[in-house]
Amino acid sequence: MKKIVAIATALSAAALAACTPAAQNETAQAADQIAADANATMGQAINDTNAAADRAFGSAEATMDNAGAALSNAADKAADKTGAALKDAGNAIED
């Protein structure tokens, strides 16, 4: 993108040498507008890319959080069942 702006600026400078002052001014303004448009487009592309990355990372984080919660719940249930089985075994031995 910077190459396009540089080429446009170089062409504008070459054209300016053969023009009247009014035409030179208009050409310079057009070159400035091209550069501003290119910068705005690049800025928007960066913002869009950052937003997409944030959404992707947020989704991955939520998925990992949910998986961690599911594992934790399964481990808690297994520990509860093991504890209950040990209590039942202990009660059976006492009787």
Side-chain angles (χ1 to χ4, degrees), residues 2 9-10 18 20 22 26 35 37 41-42 45-46 51-52 56 62 65 70 73-74 81 84 86 91-93:
K2 289 182 179 181
T9 303
T20 65
E26 289 176 12
D37 288 347
T41 300
M42 290 302 292
I46 290 168
D65 286 346
N73 290 340
K81 286 183 180 181
L86 288 172
N91 289 338
I93 292 172

Side-chain angles (χ1 to χ4, degrees), residues 9-25 27-28:
T9 303
L11 290 174
S12 297
L16 283 175
C19 296
T20 65
Q24 289 178 358
N25 188 31
T27 303

